[in-house]
């Protein structure tokens, strides 16, 4: 893989060329099969006087790697020399030869939040009330007809601005590089493209993300659905954690030790609660209420608020049907929590799932506390703040509760 | 005969008195005839009136029926017109939805075709670069 960046008036354009052994198909770190569509993309930074192309090559290399990793088989050649540490991280993590080598290692001091506007990143924002937000906004790709216009990236960007926090909105079409399964991040880490490209300018030494216990420790989402202390995407010592750290921008997961029920509780108790939005389809006035994500989040919110489920979705609707099948489910720990805490769940579309899972308040109590090893993993300069927040607002897991994390998905 | 007898036998004064009493109690023949006549007239008048009323009613009804007949005819025309219009707009809806389906199909196929072209472009550059690397003396292609 050969990578070439150009910079013109606050816009970074990336072109990559496949080596003979590279392919148009590949696998995301979480195991999802992927197919490449095209080999150019852009990242548009907000206009700024006097910004030049002088960004540390490791930062450019990491952004490029988030969109080229699945297709690269043996080596990656960047258009400017990278640091030996970054080359080592690429070699150790992916078995690829990376070069040329010849730059100093970079570092920074500040923490920024990769802010999506959902409950998880809002909880992160509550833990770090002074950290600036960097918001990734999808824009259309000039070479790809956008047939996914129902995705309202304008709404989440507007809500992010309405928080009144220091918000930088970075626009990119890099999701359209992906042909299969649908436009999206080739690797989850591509969401940090803006933070990486602004890291020197903003003196960033860490990027905080809203990945919670399910993603970090329980192998959630599309991954293996079992305890993953060495999670390749989100553990500090995993391949991506090591790579970001080598670029002087370690990934910080302030809510990595708590469940989505707790991030939801923190977000709903936050002063930004009016701007929280997890739905990508609804208009500015509100979530759509009928997509799968809205249903999932409604279950969690109803559980947190200890009230009946409020939805028009039924068991025969497309998004309701999957809950009629037996587990495993993605985000299953949250389904268990919802079933245990939502009154009258047996009269909802989750009745079947409730029967399968047999969850109780007692059996899901561990999801109301913080898994301590997640705090240990946070870089030292920000650990204390997270630790204090968790002790004050959530409470740490007991040994028995921690065992629930560590035996998740076993058997 | 009785009249004559009475005239003869009863003194005039008595007769007057008797007659005036009798007159007070019974209507005179002339009056009676008059009554009968006026009753008959009244009957004839009412009969005529009723006849006239019925005639008027009938005329009204006829007019009403005529009006309704016109209205029904107009409505029938309207139904025919609307039926034709519905047919026409159904035709229009069908052709619009056919057009939309066609546009959708073309958009999907077009996007698929572009994807194919874009992927081919990546593959072609990959092939060109592979060939170029085998010809160390060649000018770089870009």
């Amino acid at each position: 893989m050969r990578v070439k960046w150009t910079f013109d008036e606050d816009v970074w354009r990336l072109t990559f060329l496949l080596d003979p052994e590279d392919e148009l198909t590949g696998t995301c770190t979480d195991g999802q099969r992927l197919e490449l569509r095209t080999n150019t993309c852009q990242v548009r930074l907000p206009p700024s006087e006097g910004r030049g192309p002088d960004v540390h090559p490791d930062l450019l290399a990491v952004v490029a790697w988030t969109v080229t990793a699945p297709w690269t088989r043996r080596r990656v050649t960047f258009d400017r020399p990278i640091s030996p540490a970054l080359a080592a991280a690429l070699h150790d993590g992916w078995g690829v030869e990376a070069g040329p080598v010849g730059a100093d290692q970079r570092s920074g001091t500040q923490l920024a939040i990769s802010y999506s506007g959902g409950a998880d990143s809002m909880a992160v924002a509550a833990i770090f009330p002074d950290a600036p937000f960097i918001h990734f906004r999808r824009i259309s790709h000039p070479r790809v007809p956008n047939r996914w216009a129902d995705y309202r990236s304008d709404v989440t960007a507007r809500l992010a601005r309405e928080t009144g926090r220091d918000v930088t909105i970075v626009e990119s079409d890099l999701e359209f590089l992906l042909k299969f399964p649908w436009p999206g991040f080739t690797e989850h880490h591509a969401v940090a493209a803006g933070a990486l490209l602004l890291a020197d300018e903003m003196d960033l030494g860490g990027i905080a993300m809203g990945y919670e216990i399910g993603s970090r420790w329980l192998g959630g989402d599309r991954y293996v659905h079992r305890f993953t202390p060495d999670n390749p995407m989100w553990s500090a010592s995993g391949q991506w954690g090591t790579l970001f750290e080598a670029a002087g921008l370690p990934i910080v997961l302030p809510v990595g030790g708590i469940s989505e029920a707790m991030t939801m509780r923190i977000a709903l108790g936050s002063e930004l609660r009016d701007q929280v939005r997890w739905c990508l389809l609804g208009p500015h006035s509100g979530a759509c209420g009928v997509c799968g994500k809205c249903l999932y989040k409604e279950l969690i919110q109803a559980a947190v608020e200890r009230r009946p489920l409020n939805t028009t979705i039924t068991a025969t609707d497309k998004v309701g049907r999957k809950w009629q099948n037996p587990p495993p489910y993605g985000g299953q720990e949250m389904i268990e929590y919802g079933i245990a805490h939502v009154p009258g769940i047996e009269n909802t579309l989750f009745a079947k799932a409730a029967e399968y899972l047999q969850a109780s308040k007692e059996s899901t109590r561990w999801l109301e506390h913080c898994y301590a090893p997640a705090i240990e993993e946070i870089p030292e300069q920000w650990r204390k703040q997270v630790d204090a927040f968790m002790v004050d607002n959530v409470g740490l897991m007991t040994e028995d509760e921690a065992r629930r994390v560590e035996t998740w998905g076993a058997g | 005969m009785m009249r004559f007898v009475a005239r003869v036998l009863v003194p005039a004064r008595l007769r007057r008195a008797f007659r005036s009493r009798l007159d007070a109690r019974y209507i005179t023949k002339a009056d009676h005839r008059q009554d009968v006549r006026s009753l008959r007239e009244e009957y004839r008048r009412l009969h005529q009136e009723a006849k006239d009323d019925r005639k008027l009613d009938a005329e009204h009804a006829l007019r009403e029926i005529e009006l309704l007949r016109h209205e029904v005819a107009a409505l029938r025309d309207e139904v025919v017109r609307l039926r034709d219009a519905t047919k026409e707009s159904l035709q229009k809806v069908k052709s619009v939805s056919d057009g939309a389906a066609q546009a959708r199909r073309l958009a999907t196929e077009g996007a698929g075709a572009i994807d194919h072209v874009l992927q081919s472009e990546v593959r072609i550059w990959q092939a060109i670069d592979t060939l170029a690397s085998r010809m160390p003396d060649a000018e770089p292609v870009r």
Side-chain angles (χ1 to χ4, degrees), chain A residues 2 17-20 22 24 35-37 39 143 145 147 179, chain B residues 107-108 111 114-115 118-119 121-123 125-126 129-130 142:
Chain A
R2 284 153 298 148
L17 296 166
L18 276 59
D19 285 333
D22 293 337
L24 294 179
E35 196 177 326
L36 179 68
R37 172 182 283 124
N39 62 345
R143 308 183 78 186
R147 290 175 293 129
K179 175 175 184 283
Chain B
T108 311
I114 291 171
D115 281 356
L118 290 172
Q119 289 188 322
E121 188 197 14
V122 175
R123 284 205 182 94
W125 278 114
Q126 189 180 23
D129 290 346
T130 307
R142 55 174 151 170

Side-chain angles (χ1 to χ4, degrees), chain A residues 1 22 67 110 133 177 185 290 334 381:
Chain A
M1 184 66 70
D22 293 337
V67 296
Q110 302 299 308
F133 293 171
L177 291 173
F185 299 127
V290 293
M334 279 301 100
Q381 60 266 53

Side-chain angles (χ1 to χ4, degrees), chain A residues 282-310:
Chain A
H284 182 259
S285 53
C288 78
V290 293
C291 69
K293 198 164 178 197
C294 277
L295 177 62
Y296 176 74
K297 292 286 184 178
E298 164 59 17
L299 178 70
I300 299 173
Q301 188 173 352
V304 168
E305 295 176 345
R306 306 290 197 261
R307 59 159 172 84
L309 196 70
N310 178 15

Side-chain angles (χ1 to χ4, degrees), chain B residues 61-74:
Chain B
L62 273 175
R63 261 206 303 280
E64 195 77 4
I65 285 170
E66 197 55 33
L67 253 163
L68 285 172
R69 192 173 289 151
H70 275 116
E71 254 168 54
V72 166

Side-chain angles (χ1 to χ4, degrees), chain A residues 4 9 110 116 127 147 159 171 176 189 234 236 240 253:
Chain A
K4 191 172 183 319
E9 287 188 16
Q110 302 299 308
S116 71
I127 298 171
R147 290 175 293 129
L159 286 165
E171 300 177 327
F176 292 99
H189 305 74
W234 307 118
W240 285 100
L253 303 182

